[in-house]
Amino acid sequence: MIHQRSNPYNVKVIDTAELLRDQTARNDGMPKIVDQYKLKVEMNPYKNRLIGMAYIALSATAFGVMPFFANMAYRSGVTPTSLLFLRFGIAAVLMWVFLLYKHSPLPRGKTLLGLVLMGGLGYAGQSFSYFTALQFAPAGLVAVLLYLYPTLVTGLSFAVLKQPITRIKLGALILSLLGILLVIDVQSGGQMTGVLLAILAAVIYAVYIMAGAKVTQGTDIRVSSTVIITSAAVVYGVYGAWHGLSLPNSEMGWVGSIGLALIGTVVAVWAFFEGVKRIGAVDASMLSTLEPVVTVVLAWVLLGERLTALNLCGGVLILVAAVLLARAR
C-alpha cells in the first residue's frame, strides 16, 4: 500500500462553491439549471461524505487483506521477492493503461528521478521488510507494527527538520513507545525476527513519506504512484532475472498473487484517492487505521492466529497514537 500540510496527497477536495461557479459559466442564460444543480449539491454534502468514508473503508480493507493473499502465494512456493515482482508488475501494467487512457503527462528531471528512487529504494525496501515479516510473525502483529510510521514521522520531523512538537504529539509518541513494549514483551526467536522486520518496514515507510512530501509536491498523485510502483517492479524484476523467480505452483497461489496486485494494490490505491477527494487527508488518515483491525480480525477468523492480551493492548495504543497524530496535523 502508501501518504502541503493540510492535504499532503495533492488531491483536490470537492468545493461546492467552485462547482457552482463552473456550472454557472457553462449555463449562461439558464438559471433554472443552475438552481437545480445548486439545490442538488447543497442537499448532498452528507451523502458525499458518506461515500468518501466508504471509499476509505474499502481502501483500508483492501490493504488489510494483503497478508492473506501473500499467505496463499507463500503456500504455493512463492518467495517474497517473486511475489512482490508479480504484485508490482501486474499493478504497474494496469495503472499505465489508465494513465495512457487519460493522456496524463509524466514528470521530468529531478522529480522523475526522485519518484524512481522512492519506488526503487523506499517502496521496494518497505515492501520487502513487511512481506518477509509475514513469514515469521502473526499477520495482525505485523500490520499493527506498521502503523508506528506516523509516530516515526513525527519523531524524525522533530529530530531532523527541527519541527516543534506539541503536547498531543508528545503524548502520541509516549503511547506508541508503550505500545511497542507491550507488543514485543513476550516475543522471542523467529517471531522476534518478524517483529523487527515489521518495525524496519515502519521506519523505511516513515522516511519514504518524508521524502515523498517534497518529491511529489505539485505532481498528479496517480502519475507519481504509477512511477513509484513501476520502479519497484523493475527492481524486483532485475533481482528475479539474476537470482531466478519462483512462480506459484498452484491455482490458489496465482489467485493470491493476482489478488495482491488487483485488490491489495490497484483497488486499495484507487479507493484511497477517491476517498481523500471527498473527506480530506486528515480524516482519511484516521479512518485508514481500520487496516490493521481488518488484518487482526481476519487473521483470527481465517488463519487461527491468536494475539496475547499484551499484544492487543499494545496494538490499541499504537493505533490511538496514529489517530491522535492524524488529528494534530
Side-chain angles (χ1 to χ4, degrees), residues 62 65-66 69 90 253-266:
V65 299
M66 288 195 305
F69 288 127
I90 296 172
W254 279 109
V255 169
S257 301
I258 296 173
L260 181 62
L262 294 180
I263 298 176
T265 307
V266 176

Side-chain angles (χ1 to χ4, degrees), residues 49-244:
R49 181 168 179 79
L50 285 179
I51 293 174
M53 294 172 65
Y55 273 122
I56 297 301
L58 173 61
S59 173
T61 302
F63 279 125
V65 299
M66 288 195 305
F68 308 100
F69 288 127
N71 183 268
M72 294 168 63
Y74 290 156
R75 289 183 179 181
S76 69
V78 180
T79 62
T81 52
S82 297
L83 176 61
L84 290 171
F85 168 69
L86 293 173
R87 176 198 180 188
F88 292 130
I90 296 172
V93 170
L94 295 175
M95 295 178 77
W96 276 111
V97 169
F98 175 81
L99 291 187
L100 292 174
Y101 174 75
K102 291 290 187 178
H103 301 287
S104 301
L106 293 177
R108 298 181 180 182
K110 292 183 179 180
T111 300
L112 179 59
L113 177 60
L115 293 173
V116 169
L117 292 176
M118 283 180 64
L121 296 178
Y123 206 26
Q126 185 271 340
S127 298
F128 176 80
S129 300
Y130 180 86
F131 282 90
T132 304
L134 292 173
Q135 295 187 312
F136 296 97
L141 193 60
V142 174
V144 168
L145 285 172
L146 178 63
Y147 267 73
L148 285 170
Y149 78 84
T151 300
L152 294 170
V153 169
T154 301
L156 288 172
S157 297
F158 173 72
V160 178
L161 303 180
K162 308 302 180 182
Q163 293 184 357
I165 187 167
T166 64
R167 291 182 179 180
I168 293 179
K169 291 181 178 181
L170 181 60
L173 289 173
I174 294 174
L175 286 178
S176 289
L177 291 175
L178 290 175
I180 293 176
L181 292 177
L182 291 177
V183 164
I184 68 176
D185 181 62
V186 294
Q187 308 302 324
S188 61
Q191 192 157 312
M192 176 58 80
T193 300
V195 169
L196 294 177
L197 283 170
I199 294 175
L200 176 61
V203 172
I204 296 174
Y205 196 42
V207 176
Y208 167 89
I209 288 175
M210 293 182 67
K214 182 176 181 180
V215 174
T216 62
Q217 191 171 8
T219 64
D220 184 333
I221 195 66
R222 290 174 177 81
V223 174
S224 59
S225 296
T226 301
V227 174
I228 289 170
I229 288 174
T230 301
S231 301
V234 170
V235 167
Y236 286 113
V238 171
Y239 182 89
W242 187 264
H243 295 279

